[in-house]
Amino acid sequence: SYVLTQPPSVSVAPGKTASVTCVENYIGSRRVHWYQQKPGQAPVLVIYSNTDRPSGIPERFSGSNYGNTATLTISRVEAGDEADYYCQVWDSSRDLGVFGGGTKLTVL
Amino acid sequence: QVQLVESGGGVVQPGRSLRLSCAASGFTFRTYGMHWVRQAPAGGLEWMTFISSDGSYKYYADSVEGRFTISRDNSKNELFLQINSLRPEDTALYFCVRDRAGVSFDYWGQGTLVTVSS
């Protein structure tokens, strides 16, 4: 099964750009999805299929996926973006879901 | 709006069984696949199991194959998770999640907490 590796934590100043990475050998060939989870709340899908935003998600959230790294980018970071972020893929060869370990985004 | 409300969690002794339920509303339940995802205390997300819209396909994580059984009742818009032979490591918040295009998860319930302890 795939192992998706995320940094445990990322810190960013308000108004700057945050990048959260998700690394796996062949991730560039897969569809990657990203979830935001604030303390005490359920996760929310913020990016699906590498680059698409669900309705209601600000344009400040974007995604990319090349080679062995998928990246969630949050522009003009706000205090309300402080949360845990998880990447996810579907392993279609074994029919199971795989999550990265999660990254805690801290807004300084 | 889409609502998923889990129930059935609680404190249970190791080796016992538990049945979790999820009541769905705000969408045509019978046309969507559904998942259960769990999160251990202070831990990350862990995908558990999937059931297709008509219940004909079921997939499980290796770690729970044989102990967990997913099912659904489309006439009542309900999803279920039967957990047998509970272990302390099954202690987690269990989320009911709607499938999006067979590859991701677009709506989540608030979760029901299962605590396995003697």
Side-chain angles (χ1 to χ4, degrees):
Chain A
S1 177
Y2 311 146
V3 176
L4 306 179
T5 301
Q6 297 183 237
S9 63
V10 168
S11 299
V12 62
K16 301 298 186 183
T17 298
S19 295
V20 180
T21 56
C22 179
V23 175
E24 190 268 336
N25 280 343
Y26 304 103
I27 203 168
S29 64
R30 317 194 200 287
R31 281 183 285 178
V32 180
H33 320 284
W34 291 93
Y35 303 86
Q36 174 195 68
Q37 186 180 32
K38 296 181 179 179
Q41 297 184 21
V44 172
L45 180 67
V46 294
I47 293 289
Y48 65 93
S49 297
N50 299 324
T51 59
D52 295 337
R53 274 178 294 103
S55 171
I57 301 302
E59 291 183 7
R60 301 185 297 105
F61 288 80
S62 63
S64 63
N65 187 11
Y66 304 105
N68 68 347
T69 303
T71 304
L72 172 68
T73 301
I74 309 171
S75 305
R76 304 181 299 282
V77 166
E78 304 172 356
D81 297 331
E82 192 161 276
D84 293 327
Y85 290 86
Y86 295 89
C87 60
Q88 176 257 319
V89 301
W90 184 260
D91 182 346
S92 56
S93 66
R94 300 182 62 201
D95 290 320
L96 51 83
V98 182
F99 286 98
T103 297
K104 181 176 181 59
L105 177 68
T106 299
V107 180
L108 300 170
Chain B
Q1 71 280 21
V2 173
Q3 280 200 312
L4 299 167
V5 179
E6 303 91 338
S7 61
V11 180
V12 61
Q13 292 180 327
R16 304 296 290 266
S17 298
L18 205 59
R19 190 193 198 206
L20 307 183
S21 300
C22 171
S25 61
F27 65 104
T28 307
F29 180 71
R30 67 180 183 275
T31 66
Y32 283 86
M34 298 293 295
H35 303 261
W36 288 96
V37 174
R38 73 182 180 185
Q39 185 170 34
L45 301 173
E46 183 182 13
W47 175 84
M48 292 286 93
T49 179
F50 164 84
I51 186 168
S52 60
S53 58
D54 64 356
S56 59
Y57 294 96
K58 302 176 183 181
Y59 308 132
Y60 297 93
D62 292 345
S63 59
V64 301
E65 182 87 54
R67 292 195 304 120
F68 285 29
T69 302
I70 191 171
S71 61
R72 65 190 297 160
D73 184 341
N74 285 346
S75 69
K76 296 182 178 178
N77 293 346
E78 286 190 289
L79 177 72
F80 305 102
L81 182 65
Q82 176 73 33
I83 311 175
N84 296 330
S85 303
L86 277 155
R87 305 167 179 171
E89 55 265 35
D90 294 322
T91 294
L93 189 61
Y94 285 74
F95 294 102
C96 166
V97 187
R98 194 177 83 167
D99 179 74
R100 194 205 145 273
V103 293
S104 62
F105 319 115
D106 62 357
Y107 286 94
W108 299 62
Q110 287 303 307
T112 185
L113 182 63
V114 173
T115 302
V116 184
S117 174
S118 54

